[in-house]
Amino acid sequence: MRIYVGNLKYSVNDDALRDMFSEFGNVASADVIKDKFSGQSKGFGFVDMPNQSEAEDAIQALNDSMQDGRKLTVNEARPRSERPQRRF
């Protein structure tokens, strides 16, 4: 299951995100999304957990929890909706 994690502190990196979820089970990947030009974190990321039950446990435990003074938003990731073409 792919999990969205929002409102991360900008200093959180991939390893810290993986550690946060690894106590609930196997983590296949953990990626903090970064600005492609500056490399600065955008404050959210995605975690992939292959076991559905473990992923649901992690979502339940971490959603609305406080991490580094910030209230996390954790839920099942939804696919990006089709966005209209930008006009210049």
Side-chain angles (χ1 to χ4, degrees):
M1 172 187 281
R2 189 157 173 86
I3 302 169
Y4 166 82
V5 186
N7 204 29
L8 291 169
K9 192 168 185 176
Y10 294 119
S11 62
V12 172
N13 61 23
D14 295 347
D15 291 334
L17 187 58
R18 176 182 296 276
D19 290 346
M20 190 184 309
F21 281 80
S22 65
E23 70 180 84
F24 299 97
N26 183 35
V27 175
S29 67
D31 301 301
V32 173
I33 306 304
K34 298 174 186 72
D35 181 89
K36 63 182 174 182
F37 298 109
S38 70
Q40 173 72 26
S41 167
K42 289 190 171 188
F44 70 95
F46 295 94
V47 176
D48 286 306
M49 296 183 77
N51 183 298
Q52 180 87 16
S53 172
E54 292 173 350
E56 289 171 357
D57 289 346
I59 291 170
Q60 186 73 25
L62 294 173
N63 188 41
D64 291 332
S65 69
M66 296 297 287
Q67 297 285 331
D68 296 320
R70 299 180 74 128
K71 188 174 181 180
L72 296 183
T73 300
V74 183
N75 53 45
E76 185 173 355
R78 295 181 293 275
R80 289 176 86 172
S81 60
E82 289 297 317
R83 296 186 292 179
Q85 289 289 334
R86 290 176 51 185
R87 294 183 184 194
F88 294 97

